Amino acid sequence: MPKKILHMLTPHKHVSPFDANMAADAGYDLILPYESVELTEVADLVQDAIFSRPPAHGTSTTIFFGGDDAILALDMIEAAKNALVAPFGVHVFADPQGSFTTAAAMVACVEKILVAKKGGGLAGRRIAVFGATGVVGYCSAVIAALEGAEVTLVGHSGVQRVRERAAQMRVRFGVEVDSVNGKTDAEKAAVLAKTDIVFSAAKAGVRVLSAKLVEAAPHLLVAADVNAVPPAGIEGVGVFDNGVAIAGSQTLGLGALAVGNVKYQTEAGLFRRMLAAEDEVLSLDFRDAFKLARSLVPEL
């Protein structure tokens, strides 16, 4: 049997030890890092990998893309797919900074809370995404919009960057999302006045929403925070909370470690899926992660 080989490509100085550990535990025989990789180099690396094995062994090879840029990771997937020469093929999978599987897990957990405790899913819900220019915020916004939610990207330093992200989402995924400024408490309060769900995906250790803002939000059903580093991104949300009411409000909180449990299982599950796929070449991103995460969220 051919060895199961994982080639890990990153535009950064180092590949992620987290992802390497996950892949090893999933069952890869060999994990090879490629660092400071540029988009223009992806095709040559992929073709070097595919031509070293007969076509029948192509599914024993996986190309993984890391980094911290959702757009670049998606572009690298496309570059890899475009470099394939029939009948040769390899699996490709991106999870930059663990963000694709984290975003998928967060949205799936919120959906479960909504269905179990608020009488409905994501479709038609008004969702505000704080930290929307980051990889987790970006992917969670796209997933929610694809599920029929009305998504608003909230900028912390003006509206230009989130407006650019919204334009990218429209072109790449065909979704329409809004963009607003949310630097001051007054601006945040204005956003929350028209919001059913908050995704908080700002930098670790950054307080995005105070308890006062959450308490005053008239329609807020769920507040999800993927920050596990104190202080919490949303004041009052515990890291293990999963549908627990935030003190002083009717809003249900979702914490970082509750999301992390599903994220861990999702990333491991996608690695195992590629290892098991013998007759199909797979190309996996956050949309595939969301499909799997939905099946992994525990019952409430």
Side-chain angles (χ1 to χ4, degrees):
M1 293 291 292
K3 289 187 179 296
K4 299 290 187 177
I5 301 175
L6 177 66
H7 300 279
M8 302 188 75
L9 280 59
T10 178
H12 288 175
K13 183 179 178 181
H14 302 296
V15 300
S16 165
F18 185 103
D19 295 327
N21 287 353
M22 292 287 289
D25 289 343
Y28 280 94
D29 298 307
L30 207 59
I31 300 170
L32 304 173
Y34 303 79
E35 297 161 336
S36 302
V37 176
E38 298 180 7
L39 179 60
T40 55
E41 298 173 312
V42 170
D44 285 345
L45 290 168
V46 169
Q47 290 182 349
D48 210 32
I50 64 175
F51 292 137
S52 65
R53 315 184 93 173
H57 291 176
T59 53
S60 293
T61 303
T62 297
I63 311 291
F64 176 90
F65 300 103
D68 64 356
D69 186 324
I71 299 299
L72 179 57
L74 292 169
D75 286 344
M76 284 186 166
I77 283 182
E78 289 306 308
K81 290 163 64 176
N82 291 335
L84 299 179
V85 180
F88 297 90
V90 291
H91 301 311
V92 293
F93 173 35
D95 196 15
Q97 212 170 39
S99 60
F100 284 10
T101 47
T102 299
M106 176 171 66
V107 180
C109 288
V110 167
E111 181 183 53
K112 179 72 76 173
I113 292 170
L114 289 170
V115 170
K117 299 190 175 185
K118 296 296 183 180
L122 294 165
R125 304 292 193 183
R126 299 168 299 177
I127 299 178
V129 183
F130 291 83
T133 58
V135 276
V136 175
Y138 181 95
C139 296
S140 62
V142 174
I143 293 170
L146 289 171
E147 290 301 311
E150 299 175 16
V151 178
T152 297
L153 311 183
V154 185
H156 69 277
S157 57
V159 75
Q160 186 57 36
R161 290 184 67 206
V162 287
R163 187 173 289 155
E164 291 171 357
R165 287 299 201 192
Q168 291 172 342
M169 293 175 189
R170 184 181 307 112
V171 171
R172 189 179 287 268
F173 301 103
V175 296
E176 294 291 337
V177 303
D178 199 3
S179 50
V180 300
N181 198 27
K183 181 177 182 179
T184 68
D185 279 356
E187 289 167 334
K188 292 174 184 178
V191 172
L192 293 178
K194 300 179 289 185
T195 295
D196 302 313
I197 300 160
V198 163
F199 293 160
S200 176
K203 289 183 179 179
V206 174
R207 171 65 48 80
V208 174
L209 295 176
S210 66
K212 183 177 179 180
L213 284 169
V214 173
E215 291 168 13
H219 310 292
L220 193 58
L221 302 175
V222 181
D225 182 11
V226 295
N227 173 27
V229 178
I234 302 175
E235 188 175 11
V237 176
V239 291
F240 291 103
D241 287 354
N242 189 6
V244 177
I246 299 172
S249 77
Q250 297 300 309
T251 303
L252 303 181
L254 174 67
L257 296 187
V259 172
N261 179 49
V262 178
K263 175 263 186 302
Y264 179 91
Q265 295 179 66
T266 301
E267 184 172 351
L270 292 176
F271 276 130
R272 288 194 296 266
R273 180 180 169 192
M274 290 182 291
L275 285 166
E278 299 290 347
D279 302 317
E280 178 186 11
V281 173
L282 301 176
S283 174
L284 306 178
D285 62 23
F286 59 82
R287 290 161 291 191
D288 303 280
F290 180 59
K291 291 177 184 176
L292 179 56
R294 274 176 147 170
S295 70
L296 296 172
V297 179
E299 295 296 330
L300 297 176

